[in-house]
Amino acid sequence: FTEYDTPFGVPPLDEIKEEHFMPAFEEGIKRQAEEIEAIAASPEEPTFENTVEAVEYSGDLLRRVGDVFFSLNSAVTSDGMQQIARDVSPMLSSHRDDIMMNEQLFERFKALYEKKNDLGIDAEQSKLLEEYYKNFVRNGADLSGEDKARLREINKQLSLLSIKFGENVLKATNSFEMVLEGEEDLAGLPGWVRTGAAEAAAERGYEGKWLFTIQKPSMVPFLQYSKRRDLREKIFKAYINRCDGGEFDNRENVRQVIALRREKAALMGFKTYADFALDEAMAKTPGKVYELLDQLWKPALLKAKEEASLLQAMVYREGDDFEIEPWDWWYYAEKLKKEQ
């Protein structure tokens, strides 16, 4: 609740504890809600300064708390931080909906938007007003009371599913271990890769062994250098099949997200969620996205097939007769690069 008395206003992370976050979030939401209510209920005629600027500068504490919490949660998370994320996510979703569906506030923005050419504001201010107005509309300000209530529930569920999805990916990634015990398992691996794997193994209590995970700095060098095709297959499949079944299965989460997004798009008057999401993007429509992807995909696929044939030829030259698979690609591409 105080200004950061640090160089460049960097958060004093050594003083911030997990138990500080929830009270700080609650206070930040409370303060911004009071600021928004004062703006919306103001008896003064709406102006750019007392409406658009006022909303833009509201919520300073909440913004600071969120910046620190979500940065830490993405970089050095813990069970406690993940529980806070689960608790605070629906609170933040509800708070955002309270702002974007505030009828008095929307009317002030609408009044300004309808006469924006007569306000005497510059291009940047005009753009900010336009973005706010669009955001109000895209977040349900124009919906009926019943539809607003349903949109609130959809947003709450989506926020929780997003947290759950990310947690599952993180846990699935962290849970995989490939512990190697003998020299034959390390064939082809350079010294620096072996050293890193030995250090990782020691940290987890596997003294005298080598540990590989599906974290990229561990997995990619293994796929590049390991001569053990069976182990390359094992680690590659563990990576691409994360959350596809098992303890951290995300398939039901994905199905629910798709269904809720479809419903949200329909509420907002769009054919699909892609149409809704792209309406504010440069492409505007799914068709335009696919046009661009096809421009990239077709020549990229031709090039990939050329490379695949070179890699396959290398397999045959070395006396093997298997068809090259995804887990072979890094290994033979690295060899081809050195050869050429």
Side-chain angles (χ1 to χ4, degrees), residues 21-51:
F21 282 113
M22 191 54 79
F25 271 122
E26 289 169 348
E27 180 64 19
I29 289 172
K30 176 175 172 286
R31 288 189 193 182
Q32 188 175 30
E34 290 169 352
E35 292 168 336
I36 293 297
E37 189 53 41
I39 297 165
S42 171
E44 296 178 7
E45 188 78 14
T47 64
F48 183 87
E49 289 75 16
N50 70 18
T51 301

Side-chain angles (χ1 to χ4, degrees), residues 57-76:
Y57 287 118
S58 70
D60 180 62
L61 174 61
L62 183 58
R63 192 159 37 244
R64 283 197 294 141
V65 175
D67 284 347
V68 176
F69 175 77
F70 290 109
S71 295
L72 286 177
N73 194 40
S74 67
V76 284

Side-chain angles (χ1 to χ4, degrees), residues 261 265 270-279 284-286 289-290:
R261 285 180 169 183
F270 289 86
K271 182 180 177 183
T272 69
Y273 187 79
D275 289 287
F276 172 69
L278 291 167
D279 189 51
K284 291 295 181 189
T285 66
V289 172
Y290 281 112

